[in-house]
Amino acid sequence: MSLVIRFKNFLDETGNIARFTARFFSVGIKPRYENKELFNQCYIIGYRSLPLVGLTAFIMGLVLTMQLRPSLVDYGVESQLPVMVGLAIVREIGPVITALIFAGKIGSSIGAELGSMKVTEQIDAMTVSGIKPFKYLVATRVLATTLMLPLLTILGDAISLFGAYLGVNIRSVTSFDLFFLQVFKSLDFSDVLPAIIKTLFFGFAVGIVGCYKGFNSTKGTQGVGISANSAVVLSSVMIFIIDLLAVQITELMGLN
Amino acid sequence: METEIKEPVIVIKDLVKAFGDKKVLDGFNLTVEKGSNVVILGKSGSGKSVLIKCIIGLLQSDSGSILVFKGNISQMNEDELDQARSKIGFLFQSNALYDSMTIRENLEFPLLRHWVDITKEEVERLVNEALENVDLLHTMDMMPSELSGGMLKRVALARTMILRPEVILYDEPTTGLDPVTSREIENLILKLQKKNHSSSIIISHDMNCVKNTADLVVLLLEGKCYTKGTYEELKQSTDENIKQFFE
């Protein structure tokens, strides 16, 4: 495929995602609200992602601490380990890693679920029954991902810090109280708030991309696989782009 | 001799639908009268499914008109379309049952959406009645993945009928089923049509289904209504384009 065609396809895709997003704001958030389905999706997306997010957050905190320690020992600032780990987890690593895990688990599952509904005509069946599939399937999932990712990130950060506490105690002895006192003393609202706000955008991106890919799935079962896969890839890229923008904005606002 | 004039429920005039350069429907005309079963016959890819998707508004036609109960489907906005769709049932070739829901939930879903004020008891009664009609009451709390192809088709038929549509569109209702199950589905179509006094358009390749269900057979060829008549009339035809379906 020539570079020109690829570029044209890229622009087409970008335009289509923008239209899909605009449709979410114009159709998806108007009444009648699908509250039951929204709570159901919050349960599926939030609660059922918790074990995976918790496990990866725990390992991340533990490994990060173990990897950072030798460098800090070299500079004679081992005592700053809780501060370093706390800042890294809360400001950057926690939100981004949680969002990436979330994109892998939820983005792919939304892409595959809606894709399979599309190719088996279940979405058409909803339409002919007078049900608005965009409102029922897309709006609820996008809202659920947007609301659940910040909560998962807060829980993930807490579990990650606990992992870091255990990591600190592998080679030395630090009390639970002292470790968390050091961590919280080093954190400001300007560290926590932007990090949580950006996860709202990460969640929105994962939901929109997953739904867009699933809703526009074609080519039968092969298309479902492609939808799931491209939902993960695109939402992961979107997470990094949003993160980059968030860092620039917080810097411009003097919050860094 | 007096001829009974029946009220038309669907009137299609000069319908055109193209995908890119390919005109799938090219000036198609059809009138479906109240209480009649019209079977659309045609080769694969001749535009039969496109036709019924245009009728229910899943596809937008390029030109021409589709009048369903005197309302033009092509000119309706979304709310008007929803209103019109409440009178039209659609049986998908793939059944299109919601695989994340039980059979009961599959049947309740359109009921609760369309009739917002319906009571729980009424929902229960209608679901029971719909499943009884297709002899599948015992599958109420099963998932679609637990049922056979024939059972799925019957549940899909029950779901299509639950809103008591006045017109039903069947997209190849017997494709992929064995002859015995096909016969059962044909009988169910006729039984439920009699019970609800509905009209239907049936897309089919299955000549047994055509023979058993059709009041009128329409041959769709090159996007147009090539010919129409009863099953017996078309069977007697010497036209090669018609004969090939009956051989």
Side-chain angles (χ1 to χ4, degrees), chain A residues 32 34 116-117 120-122 124-132 136, chain B residues 53 56 58 78-79 82 85 92 94 96-99 109 112-114 159:
Chain A
R32 153 189 186 190
E34 300 286 354
S116 124
M117 288 184 79
T120 54
E121 298 180 303
Q122 290 176 53
D124 283 346
M126 280 189 183
T127 309
V128 301
S129 304
I131 299 152
K132 295 193 166 36
Y136 186 81
Chain B
K53 284 184 178 175
I56 196 125
L58 280 175
E78 266 200 46
D79 290 333
D82 283 346
R85 281 171 182 153
F92 287 85
S94 62
L97 292 173
Y98 310 121
D99 48 20
F109 197 50
L112 296 170
R113 301 285 141 169
H114 268 285
R159 187 181 66 178

PDB file of all heavy atoms in Angstrom, chain A residues 32 34 116-117 120-122 124-132 136, chain B residues 53 56 58 78-79 82 85 92 94 96-99 109 112-114 159:
ATOM      1  N   ARG A  32     -33.381   8.708  27.039  1.00  0.00           N
ATOM      2  CA  ARG A  32     -33.555   7.910  28.219  1.00  0.00           C
ATOM      3  C   ARG A  32     -32.260   7.187  28.600  1.00  0.00           C
ATOM      4  O   ARG A  32     -31.599   6.612  27.753  1.00  0.00           O
ATOM      5  CB  ARG A  32     -34.695   6.917  27.862  1.00  0.00           C
ATOM      6  CG  ARG A  32     -34.740   5.638  28.547  1.00  0.00           C
ATOM      7  CD  ARG A  32     -35.783   4.726  27.896  1.00  0.00           C
ATOM      8  NE  ARG A  32     -35.921   3.505  28.680  1.00  0.00           N
ATOM      9  CZ  ARG A  32     -36.617   2.489  28.224  1.00  0.00           C
ATOM     10  NH1 ARG A  32     -37.211   2.571  27.063  1.00  0.00           N
ATOM     11  NH2 ARG A  32     -36.733   1.408  28.947  1.00  0.00           N
ATOM     12  N   GLU A  34     -29.781   4.409  30.257  1.00  0.00           N
ATOM     13  CA  GLU A  34     -29.792   2.963  30.461  1.00  0.00           C
ATOM     14  C   GLU A  34     -29.072   2.664  31.770  1.00  0.00           C
ATOM     15  O   GLU A  34     -27.982   2.083  31.789  1.00  0.00           O
ATOM     16  CB  GLU A  34     -29.089   2.267  29.278  1.00  0.00           C
ATOM     17  CG  GLU A  34     -29.724   2.508  27.925  1.00  0.00           C
ATOM     18  CD  GLU A  34     -31.020   1.720  27.750  1.00  0.00           C
ATOM     19  OE1 GLU A  34     -31.367   0.907  28.621  1.00  0.00           O
ATOM     20  OE2 GLU A  34     -31.698   1.942  26.725  1.00  0.00           O
ATOM     21  N   SER A 116     -18.454  -9.138  17.744  1.00  0.00           N
ATOM     22  CA  SER A 116     -19.183 -10.392  17.539  1.00  0.00           C
ATOM     23  C   SER A 116     -20.695 -10.132  17.463  1.00  0.00           C
ATOM     24  O   SER A 116     -21.404 -10.781  16.686  1.00  0.00           O
ATOM     25  CB  SER A 116     -18.789 -11.386  18.632  1.00  0.00           C
ATOM     26  OG  SER A 116     -19.867 -11.854  19.319  1.00  0.00           O
ATOM     27  N   MET A 117     -21.171  -9.155  18.238  1.00  0.00           N
ATOM     28  CA  MET A 117     -22.601  -8.789  18.140  1.00  0.00           C
ATOM     29  C   MET A 117     -22.921  -8.220  16.766  1.00  0.00           C
ATOM     30  O   MET A 117     -23.997  -8.439  16.219  1.00  0.00           O
ATOM     31  CB  MET A 117     -22.972  -7.766  19.217  1.00  0.00           C
ATOM     32  CG  MET A 117     -23.015  -8.339  20.609  1.00  0.00           C
ATOM     33  SD  MET A 117     -23.558  -7.137  21.809  1.00  0.00           S
ATOM     34  CE  MET A 117     -25.325  -7.157  21.573  1.00  0.00           C
ATOM     35  N   THR A 120     -22.876 -11.118  14.077  1.00  0.00           N
ATOM     36  CA  THR A 120     -23.983 -12.069  14.220  1.00  0.00           C
ATOM     37  C   THR A 120     -25.341 -11.341  14.184  1.00  0.00           C
ATOM     38  O   THR A 120     -26.358 -11.907  14.580  1.00  0.00           O
ATOM     39  CB  THR A 120     -23.878 -12.877  15.535  1.00  0.00           C
ATOM     40  OG1 THR A 120     -23.773 -11.963  16.633  1.00  0.00           O
ATOM     41  CG2 THR A 120     -22.679 -13.786  15.543  1.00  0.00           C
ATOM     42  N   GLU A 121     -25.336 -10.123  13.746  1.00  0.00           N
ATOM     43  CA  GLU A 121     -26.550  -9.303  13.525  1.00  0.00           C
ATOM     44  C   GLU A 121     -27.319  -8.978  14.805  1.00  0.00           C
ATOM     45  O   GLU A 121     -28.483  -8.581  14.752  1.00  0.00           O
ATOM     46  CB  GLU A 121     -27.486  -9.996  12.523  1.00  0.00           C
ATOM     47  CG  GLU A 121     -26.871 -10.178  11.140  1.00  0.00           C
ATOM     48  CD  GLU A 121     -27.812 -10.870  10.161  1.00  0.00           C
ATOM     49  OE1 GLU A 121     -28.259 -11.986  10.467  1.00  0.00           O
ATOM     50  OE2 GLU A 121     -28.101 -10.283   9.106  1.00  0.00           O
ATOM     51  N   GLN A 122     -26.659  -9.140  15.980  1.00  0.00           N
ATOM     52  CA  GLN A 122     -27.370  -8.825  17.230  1.00  0.00           C
ATOM     53  C   GLN A 122     -27.619  -7.321  17.355  1.00  0.00           C
ATOM     54  O   GLN A 122     -28.614  -6.890  17.938  1.00  0.00           O
ATOM     55  CB  GLN A 122     -26.571  -9.320  18.435  1.00  0.00           C
ATOM     56  CG  GLN A 122     -26.537 -10.838  18.550  1.00  0.00           C
ATOM     57  CD  GLN A 122     -25.670 -11.325  19.696  1.00  0.00           C
ATOM     58  OE1 GLN A 122     -25.828 -10.909  20.828  1.00  0.00           O
ATOM     59  NE2 GLN A 122     -24.738 -12.197  19.391  1.00  0.00           N
ATOM     60  N   ASP A 124     -28.131  -5.311  14.775  1.00  0.00           N
ATOM     61  CA  ASP A 124     -29.276  -5.056  13.884  1.00  0.00           C
ATOM     62  C   ASP A 124     -30.579  -5.495  14.548  1.00  0.00           C
ATOM     63  O   ASP A 124     -31.616  -4.843  14.395  1.00  0.00           O
ATOM     64  CB  ASP A 124     -29.109  -5.813  12.557  1.00  0.00           C
ATOM     65  CG  ASP A 124     -28.105  -5.133  11.638  1.00  0.00           C
ATOM     66  OD1 ASP A 124     -27.758  -3.970  11.903  1.00  0.00           O
ATOM     67  OD2 ASP A 124     -27.661  -5.773  10.671  1.00  0.00           O
ATOM     68  N   ALA A 125     -30.501  -6.621  15.295  1.00  0.00           N
ATOM     69  CA  ALA A 125     -31.712  -7.118  15.974  1.00  0.00           C
ATOM     70  C   ALA A 125     -32.199  -6.087  16.997  1.00  0.00           C
ATOM     71  O   ALA A 125     -33.402  -5.912  17.175  1.00  0.00           O
ATOM     72  CB  ALA A 125     -31.424  -8.453  16.653  1.00  0.00           C
ATOM     73  N   MET A 126     -31.256  -5.433  17.662  1.00  0.00           N
ATOM     74  CA  MET A 126     -31.653  -4.380  18.615  1.00  0.00           C
ATOM     75  C   MET A 126     -32.326  -3.242  17.870  1.00  0.00           C
ATOM     76  O   MET A 126     -33.372  -2.739  18.292  1.00  0.00           O
ATOM     77  CB  MET A 126     -30.420  -3.822  19.336  1.00  0.00           C
ATOM     78  CG  MET A 126     -29.953  -4.698  20.450  1.00  0.00           C
ATOM     79  SD  MET A 126     -28.688  -3.861  21.411  1.00  0.00           S
ATOM     80  CE  MET A 126     -28.327  -5.185  22.539  1.00  0.00           C
ATOM     81  N   THR A 127     -31.729  -2.833  16.757  1.00  0.00           N
ATOM     82  CA  THR A 127     -32.276  -1.713  15.988  1.00  0.00           C
ATOM     83  C   THR A 127     -33.703  -2.003  15.542  1.00  0.00           C
ATOM     84  O   THR A 127     -34.581  -1.161  15.695  1.00  0.00           O
ATOM     85  CB  THR A 127     -31.387  -1.434  14.749  1.00  0.00           C
ATOM     86  OG1 THR A 127     -30.042  -1.311  15.194  1.00  0.00           O
ATOM     87  CG2 THR A 127     -31.805  -0.164  14.030  1.00  0.00           C
ATOM     88  N   VAL A 128     -33.916  -3.215  14.999  1.00  0.00           N
ATOM     89  CA  VAL A 128     -35.268  -3.506  14.498  1.00  0.00           C
ATOM     90  C   VAL A 128     -36.279  -3.692  15.632  1.00  0.00           C
ATOM     91  O   VAL A 128     -37.484  -3.622  15.418  1.00  0.00           O
ATOM     92  CB  VAL A 128     -35.319  -4.729  13.544  1.00  0.00           C
ATOM     93  CG1 VAL A 128     -34.442  -4.533  12.346  1.00  0.00           C
ATOM     94  CG2 VAL A 128     -34.984  -6.016  14.249  1.00  0.00           C
ATOM     95  N   SER A 129     -35.760  -3.932  16.849  1.00  0.00           N
ATOM     96  CA  SER A 129     -36.686  -4.032  17.993  1.00  0.00           C
ATOM     97  C   SER A 129     -36.955  -2.658  18.593  1.00  0.00           C
ATOM     98  O   SER A 129     -37.584  -2.554  19.643  1.00  0.00           O
ATOM     99  CB  SER A 129     -36.098  -4.925  19.087  1.00  0.00           C
ATOM    100  OG  SER A 129     -35.779  -6.170  18.584  1.00  0.00           O
ATOM    101  N   GLY A 130     -36.444  -1.608  17.958  1.00  0.00           N
ATOM    102  CA  GLY A 130     -36.694  -0.255  18.450  1.00  0.00           C
ATOM    103  C   GLY A 130     -35.782   0.141  19.600  1.00  0.00           C
ATOM    104  O   GLY A 130     -36.039   1.118  20.293  1.00  0.00           O
ATOM    105  N   ILE A 131     -34.698  -0.629  19.803  1.00  0.00           N
ATOM    106  CA  ILE A 131     -33.738  -0.293  20.864  1.00  0.00           C
ATOM    107  C   ILE A 131     -32.588   0.453  20.206  1.00  0.00           C
ATOM    108  O   ILE A 131     -32.158   0.067  19.120  1.00  0.00           O
ATOM    109  CB  ILE A 131     -33.224  -1.595  21.531  1.00  0.00           C
ATOM    110  CG1 ILE A 131     -34.398  -2.339  22.164  1.00  0.00           C
ATOM    111  CG2 ILE A 131     -32.142  -1.297  22.562  1.00  0.00           C
ATOM    112  CD1 ILE A 131     -34.211  -3.813  22.242  1.00  0.00           C
ATOM    113  N   LYS A 132     -32.104   1.513  20.842  1.00  0.00           N
ATOM    114  CA  LYS A 132     -31.012   2.279  20.238  1.00  0.00           C
ATOM    115  C   LYS A 132     -29.686   1.664  20.687  1.00  0.00           C
ATOM    116  O   LYS A 132     -29.262   1.866  21.823  1.00  0.00           O
ATOM    117  CB  LYS A 132     -31.111   3.743  20.632  1.00  0.00           C
ATOM    118  CG  LYS A 132     -32.372   4.399  20.064  1.00  0.00           C
ATOM    119  CD  LYS A 132     -32.337   5.893  20.158  1.00  0.00           C
ATOM    120  CE  LYS A 132     -33.392   6.580  19.323  1.00  0.00           C
ATOM    121  NZ  LYS A 132     -34.685   5.943  19.202  1.00  0.00           N
ATOM    122  N   TYR A 136     -27.537   1.990  24.198  1.00  0.00           N
ATOM    123  CA  TYR A 136     -27.518   0.829  25.088  1.00  0.00           C
ATOM    124  C   TYR A 136     -26.122   0.211  25.194  1.00  0.00           C
ATOM    125  O   TYR A 136     -25.689  -0.151  26.285  1.00  0.00           O
ATOM    126  CB  TYR A 136     -28.512  -0.220  24.577  1.00  0.00           C
ATOM    127  CG  TYR A 136     -28.668  -1.399  25.507  1.00  0.00           C
ATOM    128  CD1 TYR A 136     -29.494  -1.318  26.621  1.00  0.00           C
ATOM    129  CD2 TYR A 136     -27.970  -2.576  25.289  1.00  0.00           C
ATOM    130  CE1 TYR A 136     -29.624  -2.390  27.494  1.00  0.00           C
ATOM    131  CE2 TYR A 136     -28.089  -3.652  26.144  1.00  0.00           C
ATOM    132  CZ  TYR A 136     -28.926  -3.556  27.247  1.00  0.00           C
ATOM    133  OH  TYR A 136     -29.042  -4.623  28.097  1.00  0.00           O
TER     134      TYR A 136
ATOM    135  N   LYS B  53     -33.973  -5.481   4.285  1.00  0.00           N
ATOM    136  CA  LYS B  53     -33.283  -4.541   5.187  1.00  0.00           C
ATOM    137  C   LYS B  53     -33.669  -3.098   4.856  1.00  0.00           C
ATOM    138  O   LYS B  53     -33.672  -2.243   5.732  1.00  0.00           O
ATOM    139  CB  LYS B  53     -31.766  -4.752   5.118  1.00  0.00           C
ATOM    140  CG  LYS B  53     -31.356  -6.004   5.891  1.00  0.00           C
ATOM    141  CD  LYS B  53     -29.890  -6.229   5.965  1.00  0.00           C
ATOM    142  CE  LYS B  53     -29.619  -7.477   6.816  1.00  0.00           C
ATOM    143  NZ  LYS B  53     -28.218  -7.841   6.837  1.00  0.00           N
ATOM    144  N   ILE B  56     -37.142  -2.476   6.493  1.00  0.00           N
ATOM    145  CA  ILE B  56     -37.162  -2.207   7.946  1.00  0.00           C
ATOM    146  C   ILE B  56     -36.278  -1.010   8.323  1.00  0.00           C
ATOM    147  O   ILE B  56     -36.180  -0.629   9.486  1.00  0.00           O
ATOM    148  CB  ILE B  56     -36.775  -3.485   8.738  1.00  0.00           C
ATOM    149  CG1 ILE B  56     -37.158  -3.354  10.225  1.00  0.00           C
ATOM    150  CG2 ILE B  56     -35.323  -3.808   8.644  1.00  0.00           C
ATOM    151  CD1 ILE B  56     -38.012  -4.415  10.746  1.00  0.00           C
ATOM    152  N   LEU B  58     -32.969  -0.731   7.952  1.00  0.00           N
ATOM    153  CA  LEU B  58     -31.576  -1.006   8.334  1.00  0.00           C
ATOM    154  C   LEU B  58     -30.633  -0.489   7.257  1.00  0.00           C
ATOM    155  O   LEU B  58     -29.479  -0.185   7.515  1.00  0.00           O
ATOM    156  CB  LEU B  58     -31.355  -2.514   8.522  1.00  0.00           C
ATOM    157  CG  LEU B  58     -31.814  -3.125   9.837  1.00  0.00           C
ATOM    158  CD1 LEU B  58     -31.626  -4.630   9.819  1.00  0.00           C
ATOM    159  CD2 LEU B  58     -31.073  -2.532  11.029  1.00  0.00           C
ATOM    160  N   GLU B  78     -35.587   8.969  13.057  1.00  0.00           N
ATOM    161  CA  GLU B  78     -35.344   7.782  13.899  1.00  0.00           C
ATOM    162  C   GLU B  78     -36.536   7.412  14.778  1.00  0.00           C
ATOM    163  O   GLU B  78     -36.860   6.236  14.939  1.00  0.00           O
ATOM    164  CB  GLU B  78     -34.109   8.007  14.772  1.00  0.00           C
ATOM    165  CG  GLU B  78     -32.856   7.460  14.123  1.00  0.00           C
ATOM    166  CD  GLU B  78     -31.748   7.232  15.116  1.00  0.00           C
ATOM    167  OE1 GLU B  78     -31.987   6.659  16.183  1.00  0.00           O
ATOM    168  OE2 GLU B  78     -30.625   7.655  14.812  1.00  0.00           O
ATOM    169  N   ASP B  79     -37.197   8.422  15.344  1.00  0.00           N
ATOM    170  CA  ASP B  79     -38.325   8.131  16.234  1.00  0.00           C
ATOM    171  C   ASP B  79     -39.511   7.554  15.456  1.00  0.00           C
ATOM    172  O   ASP B  79     -40.163   6.618  15.923  1.00  0.00           O
ATOM    173  CB  ASP B  79     -38.770   9.404  16.977  1.00  0.00           C
ATOM    174  CG  ASP B  79     -37.731   9.818  18.002  1.00  0.00           C
ATOM    175  OD1 ASP B  79     -36.997   8.921  18.479  1.00  0.00           O
ATOM    176  OD2 ASP B  79     -37.625  11.016  18.300  1.00  0.00           O
ATOM    177  N   ASP B  82     -38.694   3.991  14.650  1.00  0.00           N
ATOM    178  CA  ASP B  82     -38.917   3.110  15.806  1.00  0.00           C
ATOM    179  C   ASP B  82     -40.400   2.777  15.946  1.00  0.00           C
ATOM    180  O   ASP B  82     -40.769   1.640  16.256  1.00  0.00           O
ATOM    181  CB  ASP B  82     -38.427   3.776  17.099  1.00  0.00           C
ATOM    182  CG  ASP B  82     -36.912   3.713  17.219  1.00  0.00           C
ATOM    183  OD1 ASP B  82     -36.297   2.943  16.453  1.00  0.00           O
ATOM    184  OD2 ASP B  82     -36.350   4.439  18.050  1.00  0.00           O
ATOM    185  N   ARG B  85     -41.280   0.381  13.259  1.00  0.00           N
ATOM    186  CA  ARG B  85     -40.686  -0.938  13.505  1.00  0.00           C
ATOM    187  C   ARG B  85     -41.447  -1.734  14.553  1.00  0.00           C
ATOM    188  O   ARG B  85     -41.331  -2.959  14.603  1.00  0.00           O
ATOM    189  CB  ARG B  85     -39.224  -0.761  13.951  1.00  0.00           C
ATOM    190  CG  ARG B  85     -38.280  -0.485  12.795  1.00  0.00           C
ATOM    191  CD  ARG B  85     -36.927  -0.108  13.327  1.00  0.00           C
ATOM    192  NE  ARG B  85     -36.004   0.201  12.250  1.00  0.00           N
ATOM    193  CZ  ARG B  85     -34.979   1.022  12.386  1.00  0.00           C
ATOM    194  NH1 ARG B  85     -34.733   1.608  13.541  1.00  0.00           N
ATOM    195  NH2 ARG B  85     -34.179   1.252  11.379  1.00  0.00           N
ATOM    196  N   PHE B  92     -34.079 -12.927  11.664  1.00  0.00           N
ATOM    197  CA  PHE B  92     -32.772 -12.932  10.998  1.00  0.00           C
ATOM    198  C   PHE B  92     -32.364 -14.346  10.609  1.00  0.00           C
ATOM    199  O   PHE B  92     -32.680 -15.313  11.311  1.00  0.00           O
ATOM    200  CB  PHE B  92     -31.709 -12.356  11.935  1.00  0.00           C
ATOM    201  CG  PHE B  92     -31.819 -10.867  12.101  1.00  0.00           C
ATOM    202  CD1 PHE B  92     -32.669 -10.316  13.038  1.00  0.00           C
ATOM    203  CD2 PHE B  92     -31.075 -10.010  11.304  1.00  0.00           C
ATOM    204  CE1 PHE B  92     -32.787  -8.950  13.184  1.00  0.00           C
ATOM    205  CE2 PHE B  92     -31.188  -8.646  11.443  1.00  0.00           C
ATOM    206  CZ  PHE B  92     -32.041  -8.108  12.386  1.00  0.00           C
ATOM    207  N   SER B  94     -29.451 -15.504  10.845  1.00  0.00           N
ATOM    208  CA  SER B  94     -28.545 -16.029  11.886  1.00  0.00           C
ATOM    209  C   SER B  94     -29.244 -16.090  13.249  1.00  0.00           C
ATOM    210  O   SER B  94     -28.582 -16.324  14.249  1.00  0.00           O
ATOM    211  CB  SER B  94     -27.333 -15.125  11.972  1.00  0.00           C
ATOM    212  OG  SER B  94     -27.744 -13.815  12.346  1.00  0.00           O
ATOM    213  N   ALA B  96     -29.820 -14.141  15.452  1.00  0.00           N
ATOM    214  CA  ALA B  96     -29.433 -12.908  16.156  1.00  0.00           C
ATOM    215  C   ALA B  96     -29.975 -12.843  17.585  1.00  0.00           C
ATOM    216  O   ALA B  96     -30.370 -11.775  18.051  1.00  0.00           O
ATOM    217  CB  ALA B  96     -29.868 -11.676  15.348  1.00  0.00           C
ATOM    218  N   LEU B  97     -29.963 -13.996  18.272  1.00  0.00           N
ATOM    219  CA  LEU B  97     -30.350 -13.958  19.694  1.00  0.00           C
ATOM    220  C   LEU B  97     -29.188 -13.360  20.486  1.00  0.00           C
ATOM    221  O   LEU B  97     -28.032 -13.557  20.129  1.00  0.00           O
ATOM    222  CB  LEU B  97     -30.643 -15.373  20.189  1.00  0.00           C
ATOM    223  CG  LEU B  97     -31.886 -16.038  19.598  1.00  0.00           C
ATOM    224  CD1 LEU B  97     -31.973 -17.489  20.033  1.00  0.00           C
ATOM    225  CD2 LEU B  97     -33.158 -15.298  19.994  1.00  0.00           C
ATOM    226  N   TYR B  98     -29.515 -12.625  21.552  1.00  0.00           N
ATOM    227  CA  TYR B  98     -28.454 -12.006  22.354  1.00  0.00           C
ATOM    228  C   TYR B  98     -27.787 -13.106  23.180  1.00  0.00           C
ATOM    229  O   TYR B  98     -28.397 -13.645  24.097  1.00  0.00           O
ATOM    230  CB  TYR B  98     -29.024 -10.911  23.249  1.00  0.00           C
ATOM    231  CG  TYR B  98     -29.894  -9.942  22.485  1.00  0.00           C
ATOM    232  CD1 TYR B  98     -31.221  -9.747  22.812  1.00  0.00           C
ATOM    233  CD2 TYR B  98     -29.378  -9.230  21.394  1.00  0.00           C
ATOM    234  CE1 TYR B  98     -32.028  -8.876  22.095  1.00  0.00           C
ATOM    235  CE2 TYR B  98     -30.180  -8.368  20.665  1.00  0.00           C
ATOM    236  CZ  TYR B  98     -31.504  -8.198  21.026  1.00  0.00           C
ATOM    237  OH  TYR B  98     -32.297  -7.339  20.308  1.00  0.00           O
ATOM    238  N   ASP B  99     -26.529 -13.418  22.836  1.00  0.00           N
ATOM    239  CA  ASP B  99     -25.926 -14.595  23.460  1.00  0.00           C
ATOM    240  C   ASP B  99     -25.480 -14.379  24.896  1.00  0.00           C
ATOM    241  O   ASP B  99     -25.097 -15.328  25.574  1.00  0.00           O
ATOM    242  CB  ASP B  99     -24.795 -15.166  22.586  1.00  0.00           C
ATOM    243  CG  ASP B  99     -23.829 -14.111  22.116  1.00  0.00           C
ATOM    244  OD1 ASP B  99     -23.789 -13.039  22.742  1.00  0.00           O
ATOM    245  OD2 ASP B  99     -23.114 -14.355  21.122  1.00  0.00           O
ATOM    246  N   PHE B 109     -36.562  -8.501  26.639  1.00  0.00           N
ATOM    247  CA  PHE B 109     -35.841  -7.288  26.220  1.00  0.00           C
ATOM    248  C   PHE B 109     -36.677  -6.369  25.311  1.00  0.00           C
ATOM    249  O   PHE B 109     -36.892  -5.204  25.653  1.00  0.00           O
ATOM    250  CB  PHE B 109     -34.532  -7.716  25.555  1.00  0.00           C
ATOM    251  CG  PHE B 109     -33.515  -6.625  25.427  1.00  0.00           C
ATOM    252  CD1 PHE B 109     -33.156  -5.834  26.509  1.00  0.00           C
ATOM    253  CD2 PHE B 109     -32.878  -6.386  24.213  1.00  0.00           C
ATOM    254  CE1 PHE B 109     -32.204  -4.831  26.386  1.00  0.00           C
ATOM    255  CE2 PHE B 109     -31.933  -5.390  24.086  1.00  0.00           C
ATOM    256  CZ  PHE B 109     -31.590  -4.613  25.172  1.00  0.00           C
ATOM    257  N   LEU B 112     -39.869  -4.923  27.271  1.00  0.00           N
ATOM    258  CA  LEU B 112     -39.632  -3.866  28.260  1.00  0.00           C
ATOM    259  C   LEU B 112     -39.242  -2.540  27.607  1.00  0.00           C
ATOM    260  O   LEU B 112     -39.450  -1.475  28.178  1.00  0.00           O
ATOM    261  CB  LEU B 112     -38.533  -4.301  29.240  1.00  0.00           C
ATOM    262  CG  LEU B 112     -38.889  -5.515  30.098  1.00  0.00           C
ATOM    263  CD1 LEU B 112     -37.679  -6.021  30.859  1.00  0.00           C
ATOM    264  CD2 LEU B 112     -40.008  -5.164  31.071  1.00  0.00           C
ATOM    265  N   ARG B 113     -38.656  -2.630  26.408  1.00  0.00           N
ATOM    266  CA  ARG B 113     -38.268  -1.404  25.700  1.00  0.00           C
ATOM    267  C   ARG B 113     -39.476  -0.734  25.058  1.00  0.00           C
ATOM    268  O   ARG B 113     -39.608   0.471  25.070  1.00  0.00           O
ATOM    269  CB  ARG B 113     -37.265  -1.711  24.586  1.00  0.00           C
ATOM    270  CG  ARG B 113     -36.013  -2.355  25.066  1.00  0.00           C
ATOM    271  CD  ARG B 113     -35.183  -1.327  25.733  1.00  0.00           C
ATOM    272  NE  ARG B 113     -34.562  -1.927  26.905  1.00  0.00           N
ATOM    273  CZ  ARG B 113     -33.615  -1.365  27.588  1.00  0.00           C
ATOM    274  NH1 ARG B 113     -33.193  -0.167  27.249  1.00  0.00           N
ATOM    275  NH2 ARG B 113     -33.091  -1.954  28.629  1.00  0.00           N
ATOM    276  N   HIS B 114     -40.339  -1.557  24.473  1.00  0.00           N
ATOM    277  CA  HIS B 114     -41.453  -0.990  23.704  1.00  0.00           C
ATOM    278  C   HIS B 114     -42.617  -0.574  24.581  1.00  0.00           C
ATOM    279  O   HIS B 114     -43.231   0.450  24.364  1.00  0.00           O
ATOM    280  CB  HIS B 114     -41.952  -1.997  22.661  1.00  0.00           C
ATOM    281  CG  HIS B 114     -41.271  -1.807  21.357  1.00  0.00           C
ATOM    282  ND1 HIS B 114     -41.581  -0.764  20.523  1.00  0.00           N
ATOM    283  CD2 HIS B 114     -40.280  -2.477  20.760  1.00  0.00           C
ATOM    284  CE1 HIS B 114     -40.811  -0.829  19.460  1.00  0.00           C
ATOM    285  NE2 HIS B 114     -40.009  -1.858  19.587  1.00  0.00           N
ATOM    286  N   ARG B 159     -39.403 -14.589  19.673  1.00  0.00           N
ATOM    287  CA  ARG B 159     -39.017 -13.203  19.981  1.00  0.00           C
ATOM    288  C   ARG B 159     -39.578 -12.233  18.937  1.00  0.00           C
ATOM    289  O   ARG B 159     -40.025 -11.139  19.263  1.00  0.00           O
ATOM    290  CB  ARG B 159     -37.481 -13.078  20.037  1.00  0.00           C
ATOM    291  CG  ARG B 159     -37.035 -11.716  20.521  1.00  0.00           C
ATOM    292  CD  ARG B 159     -35.530 -11.569  20.552  1.00  0.00           C
ATOM    293  NE  ARG B 159     -34.946 -11.618  19.212  1.00  0.00           N
ATOM    294  CZ  ARG B 159     -33.653 -11.477  18.962  1.00  0.00           C
ATOM    295  NH1 ARG B 159     -32.814 -11.308  19.965  1.00  0.00           N
ATOM    296  NH2 ARG B 159     -33.194 -11.528  17.731  1.00  0.00           N
TER     297      ARG B 159
END
